[in-house]
Amino acid sequence: MARPVTLYTLQWGDLSLETVCQKAKAFGYDGVELGLPNHVDVRRTDEAYYKGIKDLLAKYELKLYAISTHLIGQAVCDTIDFRHQAILPDYIWGDGDPAGINRRAAEHVIQAAHAAKALGIDTVVGFTGSPIWQYLYSFPPTSDAFIEAGYQKFAECFTPILDEYQKLGVRYALEVHPTEIAFDTVTAARALEAVGQHPAFGFNYDPSHFGYQGVDYVDFIYRFPERIFHVHMKDVYWSDTPKPAGVFGGYVTFGRPERFWNFRSMGHGKINFEEIIRALNFIGYQGPLSVEWEDSAMDREHGARESCEFVKKVDFRPSEHAFDAVFEKK
């Protein structure tokens, strides 16, 4: 059986969960990845609430494999400023005091693990934020010790969270992504090292964030075979020729033709998904392939339906034996 194909609901947060389920079923998806805070309120502790979510998914014959807390997870390790108010719910933003926001975000990420347990799943996908992202381009120069201190601060923030996850039998899958403590292969390894190879810490693999950076997105799978906890299927296009706005984006909004790169609907970018499937087969990944649909130039319903069809077409089961095994004499 091919891997289940799910729809990440964060980009559909303007719709009710039932409406999203109706659409996901109609588009052909096998399940959903529920985005926080719009489609799951992890502050709830009553069993009836989570039973209601499970009953709703069952009504539309949809499976659940993960919930995701990208927006709030971002505030755990970030240096908080005015930008965060736009993505955080009021109960996390509070009075805007940065230390309070960091603390409440960390508590919320732990609540997400309890919610996952109540929903019968073992994976929470999200961001971590980073205390050192703003120092990425080292001018004025930063020292190695300064960067190391940033990783240690991340470890101090996230290790207590991961300890709670481990107690619950839940895993945290960081989406390796610009603005996070891990944004490429080298920094992913460094983040793992910072938390002492914590068994509850791994990655949500999303190739779209690697391709335009020039990172080998297939090699990443082979380097972290035991740490690929979840997979996002998202495509990206980057230009073969120079553009007015380069890799850093030039403060130009997504979708503009001046940009060197833009996210695109599945099959319309440059990611080689066949090689990704082959790598996932090699490491034995049998979890969901979750479509995180983003394309500024395409209607989202058209894109979501087309993306589901694309993923189901590109996915294939690994061989159960070597192709030349049949040549051998018995």
Side-chain angles (χ1 to χ4, degrees):
M1 177 180 177
R3 283 165 280 243
V5 180
T6 60
L7 179 65
Y8 184 26
T9 71
L10 182 65
Q11 286 78 12
W12 307 76
D14 57 319
L15 304 177
S16 71
L17 178 54
E18 179 150 20
T19 298
V20 175
C21 288
Q22 290 171 343
K23 290 182 180 296
K25 182 64 177 177
F27 296 156
Y29 287 90
D30 303 309
V32 289
E33 174 192 349
L34 296 180
L36 278 58
N38 297 66
H39 293 138
V40 186
D41 185 353
V42 301
R43 297 171 297 171
R44 299 284 294 269
T45 59
D46 48 308
E47 293 182 11
Y49 173 72
Y50 295 103
K51 182 179 184 301
I53 292 176
K54 290 188 284 188
D55 289 346
L56 179 61
L57 296 177
K59 176 181 175 181
Y60 293 98
E61 300 178 307
L62 296 170
K63 299 292 186 181
L64 181 66
Y65 301 90
I67 60 175
S68 295
T69 181
H70 288 76
L71 302 183
I72 297 172
Q74 184 70 34
V76 174
C77 294
D78 261 6
T79 300
I80 302 298
D81 59 40
F82 68 94
R83 299 169 303 156
H84 294 82
Q85 188 171 12
I87 65 170
L88 295 174
D90 291 341
Y91 56 83
I92 300 294
W93 179 260
D95 61 3
D97 174 65
I101 293 169
N102 292 143
R103 185 188 70 254
R104 288 188 292 274
E107 292 169 351
H108 194 273
V109 171
I110 291 174
Q111 288 174 325
H114 287 274
K117 192 77 171 179
L119 289 166
I121 58 175
D122 66 359
T123 304
V124 176
V125 178
F127 287 155
T128 59
S130 171
I132 53 174
W133 169 256
Q134 63 267 42
Y135 306 105
L136 174 67
Y137 197 89
S138 295
F139 188 85
T142 56
S143 67
D144 291 341
F146 180 83
I147 298 302
E148 179 58 27
Y151 277 92
Q152 290 308 309
K153 184 174 181 180
F154 153 69
E156 291 168 9
C157 291
F158 245 85
T159 299
I161 295 172
L162 297 172
D163 288 345
E164 290 300 313
Y165 270 62
Q166 187 174 11
K167 291 175 186 177
L168 293 167
V170 179
R171 310 175 299 178
Y172 194 79
L174 164 63
E175 183 168 336
V176 182
H177 180 291
T179 78
E180 308 312 313
I181 196 66
F183 53 89
D184 59 13
T185 304
V186 172
T187 53
R190 194 162 185 175
L192 264 172
E193 181 182 358
V195 294
Q197 305 288 324
H198 200 293
F201 183 69
F203 304 120
N204 175 61
Y205 173 76
D206 184 333
S208 70
H209 303 299
F210 295 140
Y212 68 85
Q213 290 190 70
V215 176
D216 188 335
Y217 53 84
V218 177
D219 176 71
F220 186 93
I221 298 172
Y222 293 121
R223 285 181 182 264
F224 302 105
E226 304 300 325
R227 299 290 177 162
I228 306 295
F229 292 167
H230 192 261
V231 171
H232 271 179
M233 298 292 271
K234 191 168 74 174
D235 212 342
V236 66
Y237 171 84
W238 59 92
S239 178
D240 292 324
T241 58
K243 288 283 189 174
V247 172
F248 297 123
Y251 302 114
V252 178
T253 56
F254 284 117
R256 296 287 301 179
E258 303 97 313
R259 289 174 57 93
F260 175 70
W261 64 274
N262 272 301
F263 296 124
R264 287 193 178 178
S265 194
M266 297 290 298
H268 295 276
K270 287 196 169 183
I271 297 298
N272 187 330
F273 286 99
E274 178 172 333
E275 290 304 312
I276 288 171
I277 294 301
R278 290 180 181 274
L280 293 175
N281 284 346
F282 184 84
I283 68 168
Y285 176 82
Q286 288 300 311
L289 302 176
S290 184
V291 171
E292 183 184 15
W293 187 85
E294 293 181 1
D295 190 327
S296 299
M298 184 182 291
D299 173 76
R300 68 177 175 179
E301 294 203 10
H302 173 90
R305 186 186 300 274
E306 181 185 63
S307 293
C308 183
E309 295 169 355
F310 179 92
V311 176
K312 289 191 174 185
K313 182 177 180 180
V314 76
D315 190 25
F316 54 86
R317 294 175 57 187
S319 176
E320 295 180 356
H321 54 76
F323 72 90
D324 56 355
V326 295
F327 304 158
E328 298 178 7
K329 293 181 179 179
K330 301 297 182 182

